[in-house]
Amino acid sequence: MAPLPRGLFGLFGGSFIESIPMLVLGVESSCDETGLALYDTERGLLAHALHSQIAMHQEYGGVVPELASRDHIRRAIPLLQQTLADAQVQAADIDAIAYTQGPGLAGALLVGASVACGLGLALDKPVLGIHHLEGHLLSPLLASKPPRFPFIALLVSGGHTQLMRVDGVGRYELLGETLDDAAGEAFDKSAKLLGLGYPGGPAISRLAEFGDPAAYQLPRPMLHSKNLDFSFSGLKTAVLTVVKQHSANICEQDKANIARGFVDAIVDVLVAKCMTALKQTNLKRLVIAGGVGANAQLRAALNAAAAKRRYEVFYPELQFCTDNGAMIAFAGAMRLREEPGAARKEYGFGVRPRWPLDELRPPQAALPA
Ligand code: KG4
Ligand code: ZN
């Protein structure tokens, strides 16, 4: 196993010395990954286990919600047993259980929530519902070189594209977001148009490496708009138009050229908006979170743009860019560190498939008196 990321103590100064050490179980099941993890507030991440349903959904070209729910049911308990065994702890050692309460697929969320609440009831332990995007947002703090607050966060996942100012846990200010498709959605839909498999992000990214950057100049929507919003549906339509121009005669090199045109366009927009957000807020640290944060071209372009302006960029470890249980256990631990009463022995497991991030509040203890 890789060296353990350090615990919360040390990351946030000495205040944690007075806090009671806690072992938090994290449960993620919002879409097509079942993730379980154990985070110890003193020892860091002890273990995590993940099952991706990609192979199962591939033949349908996208996630089938009912199949996703059923698979979460099959996977959750064996993954929990594996996580406990890898961490060498007993279920009774768990102090609190954090689970993804939303947003996501209702049925899939219900599986994770019922596993968490059922376990909480059986073990007499408190549970805490976590916002999936908060998990993504805080995931770079699990890395060996975590950023300090405040920072600008670019959240780029399959369902969301948002720029945020992050001043602390639960202190998120939305600066801009997509008006239509999310960045990951644009990757997936464009990949589909090129006949690539699901999920399309990694596939179109790999193909783009073989493309000629001069072959297609695709539109860069809202690149010069004054605000920090995004729009990607026009880019997807541009991909559709060039694919149609080739009709059935499209060859592998054409596909690679179109993939390159698409990736260059989307990366240009994402990088430009991040630089504008940093400039406007006068902050120097940028954090990238969510599945598209795994994209190699985006990382290279962000690193180059940031280095030129003396900004620092932080990424989650690659394995924690896409959905996972570690980020949920960690977000739970961060909230409990500031508000130990946030986890309760209430097992109603109400999920929130739609849950705007701006409805989140900071932990109570962190509020001004
Ligand atoms: O964060 P995530 O795992 O799930 C959501 O919360 O949505 O993000 C999944 C998205 C998919 O759209 C997938 O195509 C995209 O992240 N993705 C990538 C890469 N890896 C995953 N997009 C571009 N390049 C990648 N390497
Ligand atoms: Zn996600």
Side-chain angles (χ1 to χ4, degrees), residues 155-199:
L155 191 64
V156 266
S157 69
H160 293 83
T161 300
Q162 298 182 324
L163 266 168
M164 260 167 292
R165 180 193 164 106
V166 178
D167 285 283
V169 179
R171 295 165 181 269
Y172 314 127
E173 183 193 346
L174 184 65
L175 304 175
E177 63 184 333
T178 182
L179 305 179
D180 40 57
D181 291 351
E185 205 176 346
F187 268 96
D188 292 341
K189 287 179 175 171
S190 300
K192 208 169 182 173
L193 292 170
L194 290 170
L196 305 174
Y198 156 87

Short mmCIF file of all heavy atoms in Angstrom, two decimals, residues 155-199:
data_model
loop_
_atom_site.label_atom_id
_atom_site.label_comp_id
_atom_site.label_asym_id
_atom_site.label_seq_id
_atom_site.Cartn_x
_atom_site.Cartn_y
_atom_site.Cartn_z
N LEU A 155 -14.36 22.59 -10.30
CA LEU A 155 -14.98 21.29 -10.14
C LEU A 155 -15.48 20.83 -11.49
O LEU A 155 -16.38 21.46 -12.06
CB LEU A 155 -16.15 21.46 -9.17
CG LEU A 155 -16.80 20.22 -8.65
CD1 LEU A 155 -15.80 19.43 -7.82
CD2 LEU A 155 -17.97 20.62 -7.77
N VAL A 156 -14.84 19.82 -12.04
CA VAL A 156 -15.20 19.37 -13.39
C VAL A 156 -15.50 17.87 -13.37
O VAL A 156 -14.59 17.05 -13.38
CB VAL A 156 -14.07 19.66 -14.41
CG1 VAL A 156 -14.28 20.97 -15.11
CG2 VAL A 156 -12.67 19.61 -13.79
N SER A 157 -16.79 17.54 -13.30
CA SER A 157 -17.17 16.13 -13.24
C SER A 157 -18.13 15.83 -14.39
O SER A 157 -18.32 16.64 -15.29
CB SER A 157 -17.82 15.84 -11.89
OG SER A 157 -19.06 16.48 -11.82
N GLY A 158 -18.74 14.64 -14.33
CA GLY A 158 -19.68 14.27 -15.38
C GLY A 158 -20.95 15.11 -15.32
O GLY A 158 -21.59 15.32 -16.35
N GLY A 159 -21.32 15.58 -14.15
CA GLY A 159 -22.57 16.32 -14.01
C GLY A 159 -22.40 17.79 -13.69
O GLY A 159 -23.37 18.55 -13.72
N HIS A 160 -21.19 18.23 -13.36
CA HIS A 160 -21.00 19.61 -12.91
C HIS A 160 -19.75 20.26 -13.48
O HIS A 160 -18.74 19.60 -13.70
CB HIS A 160 -20.89 19.67 -11.37
CG HIS A 160 -22.17 19.29 -10.70
ND1 HIS A 160 -22.49 17.98 -10.48
CD2 HIS A 160 -23.19 20.03 -10.23
CE1 HIS A 160 -23.68 17.93 -9.90
NE2 HIS A 160 -24.13 19.16 -9.74
N THR A 161 -19.85 21.57 -13.72
CA THR A 161 -18.67 22.37 -14.05
C THR A 161 -18.86 23.68 -13.30
O THR A 161 -19.73 24.48 -13.64
CB THR A 161 -18.57 22.64 -15.56
OG1 THR A 161 -18.48 21.36 -16.21
CG2 THR A 161 -17.33 23.45 -15.91
N GLN A 162 -18.08 23.88 -12.26
CA GLN A 162 -18.26 25.06 -11.43
C GLN A 162 -16.91 25.62 -11.01
O GLN A 162 -15.97 24.87 -10.77
CB GLN A 162 -19.04 24.70 -10.14
CG GLN A 162 -20.43 24.18 -10.42
CD GLN A 162 -21.21 23.86 -9.15
OE1 GLN A 162 -20.63 23.40 -8.17
NE2 GLN A 162 -22.51 24.10 -9.17
N LEU A 163 -16.86 26.94 -10.91
CA LEU A 163 -15.70 27.60 -10.32
C LEU A 163 -16.15 28.15 -8.98
O LEU A 163 -17.19 28.80 -8.88
CB LEU A 163 -15.23 28.74 -11.21
CG LEU A 163 -14.12 28.38 -12.20
CD1 LEU A 163 -13.95 29.49 -13.22
CD2 LEU A 163 -12.79 28.11 -11.49
N MET A 164 -15.36 27.87 -7.95
CA MET A 164 -15.75 28.29 -6.62
C MET A 164 -14.61 28.92 -5.85
O MET A 164 -13.44 28.55 -6.08
CB MET A 164 -16.21 27.07 -5.83
CG MET A 164 -17.71 26.96 -5.79
SD MET A 164 -18.18 25.38 -5.20
CE MET A 164 -17.65 24.39 -6.52
N ARG A 165 -14.96 29.82 -4.97
CA ARG A 165 -13.99 30.30 -4.01
C ARG A 165 -14.22 29.48 -2.74
O ARG A 165 -15.37 29.40 -2.26
CB ARG A 165 -14.21 31.79 -3.73
CG ARG A 165 -13.22 32.36 -2.74
CD ARG A 165 -13.62 33.72 -2.24
NE ARG A 165 -12.84 33.98 -1.06
CZ ARG A 165 -11.81 34.83 -0.98
NH1 ARG A 165 -11.51 35.58 -2.02
NH2 ARG A 165 -11.11 34.95 0.12
N VAL A 166 -13.17 28.87 -2.21
CA VAL A 166 -13.31 28.01 -1.04
C VAL A 166 -12.50 28.62 0.11
O VAL A 166 -11.28 28.73 0.03
CB VAL A 166 -12.81 26.57 -1.35
CG1 VAL A 166 -12.91 25.68 -0.13
CG2 VAL A 166 -13.61 25.98 -2.50
N ASP A 167 -13.21 29.01 1.17
CA ASP A 167 -12.54 29.62 2.31
C ASP A 167 -12.40 28.67 3.48
O ASP A 167 -11.74 29.00 4.47
CB ASP A 167 -13.31 30.88 2.74
CG ASP A 167 -13.05 32.02 1.78
OD1 ASP A 167 -11.97 32.63 1.84
OD2 ASP A 167 -13.92 32.28 0.93
N GLY A 168 -13.02 27.53 3.40
CA GLY A 168 -12.94 26.54 4.47
C GLY A 168 -14.01 25.49 4.23
O GLY A 168 -14.74 25.56 3.23
N VAL A 169 -14.12 24.55 5.16
CA VAL A 169 -15.13 23.50 5.00
C VAL A 169 -16.53 24.14 5.04
O VAL A 169 -16.86 24.86 5.98
CB VAL A 169 -15.01 22.45 6.13
CG1 VAL A 169 -16.07 21.37 5.97
CG2 VAL A 169 -13.62 21.84 6.11
N GLY A 170 -17.31 23.91 4.02
CA GLY A 170 -18.67 24.47 3.96
C GLY A 170 -18.72 25.94 3.60
O GLY A 170 -19.79 26.53 3.54
N ARG A 171 -17.58 26.54 3.32
CA ARG A 171 -17.55 27.97 2.97
C ARG A 171 -17.23 28.10 1.49
O ARG A 171 -16.09 28.33 1.10
CB ARG A 171 -16.49 28.70 3.80
CG ARG A 171 -16.85 28.71 5.26
CD ARG A 171 -15.64 29.10 6.10
NE ARG A 171 -16.01 29.07 7.50
CZ ARG A 171 -16.48 30.11 8.17
NH1 ARG A 171 -16.60 31.28 7.61
NH2 ARG A 171 -16.82 29.98 9.44
N TYR A 172 -18.25 27.91 0.68
CA TYR A 172 -18.08 27.86 -0.76
C TYR A 172 -18.89 28.97 -1.41
O TYR A 172 -20.08 29.10 -1.18
CB TYR A 172 -18.55 26.50 -1.31
CG TYR A 172 -18.06 25.31 -0.51
CD1 TYR A 172 -18.94 24.34 -0.04
CD2 TYR A 172 -16.70 25.17 -0.22
CE1 TYR A 172 -18.49 23.26 0.70
CE2 TYR A 172 -16.25 24.09 0.52
CZ TYR A 172 -17.14 23.15 0.98
OH TYR A 172 -16.69 22.08 1.72
N GLU A 173 -18.20 29.74 -2.26
CA GLU A 173 -18.92 30.79 -2.99
C GLU A 173 -18.85 30.45 -4.49
O GLU A 173 -17.75 30.34 -5.06
CB GLU A 173 -18.25 32.15 -2.74
CG GLU A 173 -18.99 33.28 -3.40
CD GLU A 173 -18.17 34.57 -3.42
OE1 GLU A 173 -17.15 34.66 -2.69
OE2 GLU A 173 -18.53 35.48 -4.18
N LEU A 174 -20.02 30.29 -5.09
CA LEU A 174 -20.06 29.96 -6.51
C LEU A 174 -19.71 31.19 -7.33
O LEU A 174 -20.35 32.23 -7.22
CB LEU A 174 -21.46 29.45 -6.87
CG LEU A 174 -21.64 28.97 -8.30
CD1 LEU A 174 -20.79 27.73 -8.57
CD2 LEU A 174 -23.11 28.66 -8.60
N LEU A 175 -18.67 31.06 -8.18
CA LEU A 175 -18.25 32.20 -9.01
C LEU A 175 -18.76 32.08 -10.43
O LEU A 175 -18.96 33.07 -11.13
CB LEU A 175 -16.72 32.28 -9.04
CG LEU A 175 -16.00 32.38 -7.69
CD1 LEU A 175 -14.49 32.33 -7.87
CD2 LEU A 175 -16.40 33.67 -6.97
N GLY A 176 -18.94 30.86 -10.89
CA GLY A 176 -19.42 30.64 -12.25
C GLY A 176 -19.69 29.17 -12.45
O GLY A 176 -19.16 28.32 -11.72
N GLU A 177 -20.55 28.85 -13.44
CA GLU A 177 -20.85 27.44 -13.71
C GLU A 177 -21.31 27.28 -15.14
O GLU A 177 -21.53 28.27 -15.85
CB GLU A 177 -21.91 26.91 -12.75
CG GLU A 177 -23.25 27.59 -12.86
CD GLU A 177 -24.23 27.10 -11.81
OE1 GLU A 177 -24.10 25.96 -11.35
OE2 GLU A 177 -25.12 27.87 -11.44
N THR A 178 -21.50 26.04 -15.56
CA THR A 178 -21.92 25.83 -16.93
C THR A 178 -23.40 26.16 -17.10
O THR A 178 -24.21 25.92 -16.20
CB THR A 178 -21.63 24.39 -17.41
OG1 THR A 178 -22.02 24.29 -18.78
CG2 THR A 178 -22.37 23.36 -16.60
N LEU A 179 -23.71 26.73 -18.26
CA LEU A 179 -25.10 27.08 -18.53
C LEU A 179 -25.81 25.90 -19.19
O LEU A 179 -27.03 25.91 -19.31
CB LEU A 179 -25.15 28.29 -19.47
CG LEU A 179 -24.39 29.52 -18.99
CD1 LEU A 179 -24.48 30.66 -20.00
CD2 LEU A 179 -24.94 29.99 -17.63
N ASP A 180 -25.06 24.91 -19.64
CA ASP A 180 -25.70 23.74 -20.28
C ASP A 180 -24.96 22.46 -19.90
O ASP A 180 -25.04 22.03 -18.76
CB ASP A 180 -25.80 23.93 -21.80
CG ASP A 180 -24.56 24.60 -22.40
OD1 ASP A 180 -23.47 24.03 -22.20
OD2 ASP A 180 -24.69 25.66 -23.04
N ASP A 181 -24.20 21.87 -20.84
CA ASP A 181 -23.52 20.60 -20.55
C ASP A 181 -22.37 20.80 -19.56
O ASP A 181 -21.70 21.84 -19.57
CB ASP A 181 -22.91 20.01 -21.83
CG ASP A 181 -23.98 19.52 -22.80
OD1 ASP A 181 -25.16 19.49 -22.41
OD2 ASP A 181 -23.64 19.18 -23.94
N ALA A 182 -22.13 19.78 -18.75
CA ALA A 182 -20.93 19.79 -17.90
C ALA A 182 -19.73 19.39 -18.76
O ALA A 182 -19.90 18.79 -19.83
CB ALA A 182 -21.10 18.80 -16.76
N ALA A 183 -18.53 19.71 -18.30
CA ALA A 183 -17.32 19.38 -19.07
C ALA A 183 -17.22 17.87 -19.33
O ALA A 183 -16.97 17.44 -20.46
CB ALA A 183 -16.08 19.88 -18.33
N GLY A 184 -17.47 17.07 -18.30
CA GLY A 184 -17.39 15.61 -18.46
C GLY A 184 -18.43 15.12 -19.46
O GLY A 184 -18.17 14.20 -20.25
N GLU A 185 -19.61 15.75 -19.40
CA GLU A 185 -20.69 15.39 -20.32
C GLU A 185 -20.26 15.70 -21.76
O GLU A 185 -20.52 14.92 -22.69
CB GLU A 185 -21.88 16.26 -19.94
CG GLU A 185 -23.22 15.74 -20.30
CD GLU A 185 -24.31 16.70 -19.76
OE1 GLU A 185 -24.01 17.60 -18.92
OE2 GLU A 185 -25.44 16.56 -20.23
N ALA A 186 -19.60 16.84 -21.95
CA ALA A 186 -19.12 17.22 -23.29
C ALA A 186 -18.09 16.21 -23.78
O ALA A 186 -18.11 15.79 -24.94
CB ALA A 186 -18.52 18.63 -23.26
N PHE A 187 -17.19 15.79 -22.88
CA PHE A 187 -16.21 14.75 -23.24
C PHE A 187 -16.95 13.46 -23.65
O PHE A 187 -16.65 12.87 -24.69
CB PHE A 187 -15.29 14.43 -22.04
CG PHE A 187 -14.02 15.25 -22.01
CD1 PHE A 187 -13.93 16.41 -21.24
CD2 PHE A 187 -12.91 14.85 -22.72
CE1 PHE A 187 -12.76 17.16 -21.21
CE2 PHE A 187 -11.73 15.57 -22.68
CZ PHE A 187 -11.66 16.74 -21.93
N ASP A 188 -17.91 13.05 -22.81
CA ASP A 188 -18.60 11.77 -23.06
C ASP A 188 -19.41 11.81 -24.35
O ASP A 188 -19.39 10.88 -25.14
CB ASP A 188 -19.51 11.43 -21.88
CG ASP A 188 -18.72 11.11 -20.62
OD1 ASP A 188 -17.52 10.81 -20.72
OD2 ASP A 188 -19.31 11.20 -19.52
N LYS A 189 -20.14 12.93 -24.57
CA LYS A 189 -21.01 13.01 -25.76
C LYS A 189 -20.17 13.12 -27.03
O LYS A 189 -20.49 12.50 -28.05
CB LYS A 189 -21.95 14.22 -25.64
CG LYS A 189 -23.06 14.00 -24.61
CD LYS A 189 -23.94 15.24 -24.50
CE LYS A 189 -25.12 15.01 -23.58
NZ LYS A 189 -25.85 16.28 -23.32
N SER A 190 -19.10 13.89 -26.98
CA SER A 190 -18.25 14.03 -28.17
C SER A 190 -17.58 12.70 -28.49
O SER A 190 -17.45 12.32 -29.66
CB SER A 190 -17.19 15.13 -27.95
OG SER A 190 -17.83 16.35 -27.70
N ALA A 191 -17.16 11.99 -27.45
CA ALA A 191 -16.54 10.68 -27.65
C ALA A 191 -17.53 9.72 -28.32
O ALA A 191 -17.17 8.95 -29.21
CB ALA A 191 -16.07 10.12 -26.31
N LYS A 192 -18.77 9.80 -27.88
CA LYS A 192 -19.81 8.94 -28.45
C LYS A 192 -19.98 9.23 -29.95
O LYS A 192 -20.11 8.33 -30.76
CB LYS A 192 -21.12 9.19 -27.71
CG LYS A 192 -22.04 8.02 -27.69
CD LYS A 192 -23.18 8.29 -26.72
CE LYS A 192 -24.11 7.09 -26.65
NZ LYS A 192 -25.13 7.24 -25.61
N LEU A 193 -19.96 10.53 -30.29
CA LEU A 193 -20.09 10.92 -31.70
C LEU A 193 -18.93 10.37 -32.53
O LEU A 193 -19.07 10.12 -33.73
CB LEU A 193 -20.12 12.46 -31.82
CG LEU A 193 -21.36 13.16 -31.25
CD1 LEU A 193 -21.17 14.66 -31.21
CD2 LEU A 193 -22.58 12.80 -32.10
N LEU A 194 -17.78 10.17 -31.89
CA LEU A 194 -16.62 9.63 -32.60
C LEU A 194 -16.58 8.09 -32.53
O LEU A 194 -15.61 7.47 -32.95
CB LEU A 194 -15.33 10.20 -32.00
CG LEU A 194 -15.08 11.68 -32.28
CD1 LEU A 194 -13.92 12.21 -31.44
CD2 LEU A 194 -14.79 11.90 -33.77
N GLY A 195 -17.63 7.54 -31.96
CA GLY A 195 -17.71 6.08 -31.89
C GLY A 195 -16.81 5.48 -30.82
O GLY A 195 -16.48 4.29 -30.87
N LEU A 196 -16.44 6.29 -29.81
CA LEU A 196 -15.58 5.77 -28.74
C LEU A 196 -16.48 5.26 -27.60
O LEU A 196 -17.62 5.67 -27.48
CB LEU A 196 -14.64 6.87 -28.23
CG LEU A 196 -13.78 7.54 -29.31
CD1 LEU A 196 -13.01 8.71 -28.73
CD2 LEU A 196 -12.83 6.53 -29.93
N GLY A 197 -15.92 4.41 -26.78
CA GLY A 197 -16.72 3.80 -25.72
C GLY A 197 -17.03 4.73 -24.56
O GLY A 197 -16.59 5.88 -24.52
N TYR A 198 -17.81 4.20 -23.62
CA TYR A 198 -18.16 4.92 -22.41
C TYR A 198 -17.21 4.49 -21.27
O TYR A 198 -16.92 3.29 -21.19
CB TYR A 198 -19.62 4.62 -22.04
CG TYR A 198 -19.91 4.82 -20.58
CD1 TYR A 198 -20.26 6.08 -20.11
CD2 TYR A 198 -19.78 3.76 -19.67
CE1 TYR A 198 -20.48 6.26 -18.76
CE2 TYR A 198 -20.00 3.96 -18.33
CZ TYR A 198 -20.35 5.21 -17.88
OH TYR A 198 -20.57 5.40 -16.54
N PRO A 199 -16.77 5.34 -20.37
CA PRO A 199 -16.92 6.81 -20.41
C PRO A 199 -15.94 7.40 -21.43
O PRO A 199 -14.82 6.91 -21.59
CB PRO A 199 -16.57 7.24 -18.99
CG PRO A 199 -15.63 6.19 -18.50
CD PRO A 199 -15.97 4.92 -19.21
#
